[in-house]
């Protein structure tokens, strides 16, 4: 069972290395569900020994319906990820009808030649997971990250089991979203190839002065004085559940 930690910080990358996680998915902007990380963070993650590195390729938050200009930007980010030494890239593109955008996904898969490609949880926003899986397979992706079309992998566990059976070794199925020590063993038993988790913790900012009149994102609901990171104890607890 391959393990993958979703990392947004240098500290989370260090935790992955210390705990023996096999691969990291490197992202920025956790409140957006993950966007392309900075060059500096990619280079730092690549410098750590013993970790496989997959880089998120997502130019913005929001939906997965991209303009031609955005797809061109994604292609450039893939080239940079290769230049920085990434082992893989992670992206997902949909059509307005809620289907996998096979043409442009395949275009980006070709751009990523030589690297592993993961089709991310855009998959969970499709109208039909069985049809979507066949479409992703046709594009040449190495794996798909999915919660079984639900908010969490636990909720989508029956679909995950069906997708693993449908894949029949043609593509890797990686379960993600809400994976923790209490359900890791059960999710692994569905037949998926990998588990993806963030083991998040939130801590209060050390800022003593907080300006109540300013919201940097223009949205008062965003917790600007909370820092999101990985929790090493939670990571170790998940890994312990996966030991033979």
């Amino acid at each position: 069972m391959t393990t993958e930690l979703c990392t947004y910080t240098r500290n989370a990358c260090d935790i992955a290395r210390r705990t023996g996680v096999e691969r990291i998915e490197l992202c920025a902007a956790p409140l957006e569900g993950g966007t392309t990380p900075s060059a500096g963070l990619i280079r730092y993650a690549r410098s750590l020994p013993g970790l496989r590195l997959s880089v998120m390729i997502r130019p913005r938050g929001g939906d997965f319906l991209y303009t031609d200009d955005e797809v061109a930007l994604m292609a450039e980010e893939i080239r940079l990820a290769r230049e920085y030494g990434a082992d893989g890239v992670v992206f997902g593109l949909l059509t307005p009808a809620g289907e996998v955008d096979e043409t442009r996904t395949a275009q980006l898969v070709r751009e990523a030649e030589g690297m592993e490609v993961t089709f991310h949880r855009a998959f969970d926003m499709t109208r039909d997971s069985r049809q979507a899986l066949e479409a992703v397979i046709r594009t040449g992706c190495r794996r798909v990250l999915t919660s079984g079309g639900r908010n969490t992998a636990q909720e989508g566990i029956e679909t995950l089991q069906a997708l693993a059976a449908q894949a029949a070794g043609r593509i890797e199925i990686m379960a993600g979203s809400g994976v923790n020590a209490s359900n890791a063993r059960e999710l692994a038993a569905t037949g998926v190839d990998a588990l993806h988790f963030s083991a998040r913790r939130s801590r209060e900012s050390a800022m003593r002065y907080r300006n109540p009149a300013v919201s940097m994102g223009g949205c008062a609901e965003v917790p600007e004085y909370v820092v999101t990171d990985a929790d090493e104890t939670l990571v170790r607890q998940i890994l312990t559940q996966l030991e033979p």
Side-chain angles (χ1 to χ4, degrees), residues 4-53:
E4 179 177 279
L5 182 66
C6 182
T7 58
Y8 298 94
T9 66
R10 174 172 169 152
N11 179 61
C13 295
D14 292 337
I15 288 172
R17 180 186 57 81
R18 287 196 299 267
T19 58
V21 168
E22 295 166 69
R23 185 173 61 232
I24 59 175
E25 179 195 75
L26 195 65
C27 310
L31 295 179
E32 294 276 13
T35 58
T36 306
S38 71
L41 188 56
I42 297 173
R43 285 173 169 162
Y44 179 74
R46 180 70 290 167
S47 74
L48 299 176
L51 273 176
R52 293 190 65 76
L53 170 62

Side-chain angles (χ1 to χ4, degrees), residues 1-121:
M1 177 62 56
T2 301
T3 54
E4 179 177 279
L5 182 66
C6 182
T7 58
Y8 298 94
T9 66
R10 174 172 169 152
N11 179 61
C13 295
D14 292 337
I15 288 172
R17 180 186 57 81
R18 287 196 299 267
T19 58
V21 168
E22 295 166 69
R23 185 173 61 232
I24 59 175
E25 179 195 75
L26 195 65
C27 310
L31 295 179
E32 294 276 13
T35 58
T36 306
S38 71
L41 188 56
I42 297 173
R43 285 173 169 162
Y44 179 74
R46 180 70 290 167
S47 74
L48 299 176
L51 273 176
R52 293 190 65 76
L53 170 62
S54 288
V55 174
M56 174 66 74
I57 305 295
R58 188 180 176 207
R60 56 166 173 78
D63 64 27
F64 304 104
L65 178 63
Y66 297 113
T67 66
D68 289 342
D69 287 344
E70 287 173 328
V71 174
L73 178 59
M74 293 169 77
E76 178 60 21
E77 289 173 337
I78 289 169
R79 290 189 285 269
L80 289 173
R82 177 189 288 108
E83 180 182 325
Y84 297 151
D87 299 296
V89 287
V90 184
F91 52 78
L93 301 88
L94 303 182
T95 69
E99 298 173 344
V100 173
D101 186 337
E102 288 191 55
T103 299
R104 296 198 294 180
T105 298
Q107 172 189 334
L108 293 181
V109 170
R110 289 191 295 271
E111 189 65 55
E113 185 178 2
M115 294 188 288
E116 298 178 357
V117 176
T118 301
F119 193 98
H120 62 44
R121 286 190 64 218

